[in-house]
Amino acid sequence: MKAALVSDALGWRHDLAGCLHGCMATLLHHRGVAPLETLGAAWGFWHLPGDIRREEYYYPCDSGVSLLGALAPYHPVRSTWHHPADAAEGWAQVRAEVAAGRLVAVAVDNFELPFRPAYQDVHSNHMVIVQGFDEERGTVRVLDAVPPRFHGDITLEQLTAARDSGNPAVHDRDMFFTDVRIGNRWLSVELDAAPEDFPAFDRAHIRSVIERNVEGFRKGTPGPRLTGAEGLTAFLVAEIEASA
C-alpha cells in the first residue's frame, strides 16, 4: 500500500485543554465515543510529588492506570504508549496502524514542525494526530487542533525529525516542555466495551459522576499522591513555604 487516509478525523479543541485532550478526543471520536461526555466527566485535584515531567501531554497517573484511564476513569477506555527501538521501527508501527484504518497520536518536537510557531526556534514536547500518508509524494497527513491549528500534509522527513528529536534545551527560551527525548513514542486508544454500551448520558449518569467527583474532593487518597481538598491544601502550603 503506497497511500492511506483514515477518514472521520475530528479536530477537537477547548481553550482550557491542550494537545493531550485534543488528541484523546480525536481518537475517541474516531472510535465512535463522544469526546466531551467522556473526557469532561471527571474533575478534581491530583498531584504526584516529584513526578512532574517536561511534556505538554503530562498527566499524573497511578501505577497500573493508563493515561486515558486516568483522564476518563468513569468510562471503559484506556490507552497504550508504544516505545519503538528507533525511527524506522516507529514509522513502520504508525504506518501499519494508519493503513489498517486506525488513527494514532504521536509525540513530536515543535522545533521540527513547519506549522508550529516554535518552528526552528524553540524545542518543545507536543502531540499530534497522524491521519494518513502518501509514499509516492513522501508526505504524511497530520492533524493538530492546538492553535494555530493545522490539518494538512508535511513531509515524512519532517515528521521523522520531529518524532526522533532529542528535544534539547538549547537556550533560556526552551523553558517548559523540553529536555526530554521524544523517542518516536506513539499512543493508541482501546475500548473495553462497544460505544453503544457506554454509560448513557442522562440525568442518572450525570448525578453519579457529580457525586463521585464531590466524594473525591471530600476524601483524599492515602499515600504519596495528593488528592481532594486536603491534598490541594497540602500542595498550596508546600508551594507557599517553598517560595517564602
Side-chain angles (χ1 to χ4, degrees):
M1 179 178 291
K2 294 184 178 180
L5 183 67
V6 182
S7 61
D8 196 26
L10 170 70
W12 188 90
R13 169 68 182 163
H14 190 285
D15 286 343
L16 298 180
C19 65
L20 171 59
H21 291 82
C23 285
M24 289 295 192
T26 297
L27 295 178
L28 287 173
H29 179 267
H30 175 64
R31 299 293 296 272
V33 176
L36 190 58
E37 296 170 13
T38 305
L39 296 175
W43 52 267
F45 177 79
W46 303 270
H47 175 59
L48 286 171
D51 185 30
I52 302 217
R53 305 169 203 170
R54 296 168 70 93
E55 301 166 338
E56 188 177 351
Y57 41 82
Y58 167 75
Y59 192 84
C61 300
D62 288 329
S63 176
V65 178
S66 72
L67 185 57
L68 181 56
L71 281 170
Y74 305 150
H75 293 80
V77 296
R78 53 192 166 87
S79 61
T80 301
W81 272 115
H82 303 267
H83 302 270
D86 53 33
E89 181 179 271
W91 173 244
Q93 293 173 352
V94 170
R95 181 191 183 282
E97 290 294 301
V98 174
R102 294 184 289 267
L103 295 174
V104 300
V106 299
V108 291
D109 180 357
N110 282 323
F111 184 87
E112 303 289 352
L113 296 176
F115 56 84
R116 294 301 303 167
Y119 179 57
Q120 297 297 298
D121 181 31
V122 174
H123 290 276
S124 180
N125 208 314
H126 187 50
M127 183 186 289
V128 299
I129 296 291
V130 175
Q131 183 187 4
F133 61 85
D134 188 326
E135 292 176 336
E136 291 186 348
R137 297 176 57 212
T139 58
V140 182
R141 179 67 54 84
V142 171
L143 171 60
D144 183 7
V146 176
R149 195 183 189 277
F150 176 81
H151 190 190
D153 296 336
I154 61 174
T155 68
L156 176 57
E157 182 180 6
Q158 289 169 330
L159 181 64
T160 300
R163 299 188 60 222
D164 197 40
S165 170
N167 192 31
V170 178
H171 44 62
D172 59 6
R173 285 181 292 116
D174 297 321
M175 297 176 61
F176 299 106
F177 308 119
T178 188
D179 207 22
V180 176
R181 182 170 182 80
I182 308 298
N184 297 288
R185 288 173 290 168
W186 62 279
L187 184 144
S188 59
V189 160
E190 295 84 35
L191 309 183
D192 292 326
E196 57 269 23
D197 295 325
F198 274 49
F201 190 62
D202 54 21
R203 287 179 177 269
H205 173 66
I206 294 172
R207 176 170 181 166
S208 173
V209 163
I210 293 174
E211 288 176 345
R212 292 167 73 177
N213 287 335
V214 171
E215 184 68 11
F217 258 113
R218 288 176 174 168
K219 292 185 178 181
T221 303
R225 182 174 181 172
L226 301 179
T227 63
E230 290 185 6
L232 178 58
T233 299
F235 173 79
L236 293 175
V237 168
E239 289 297 303
I240 293 171
E241 291 177 348
S243 62

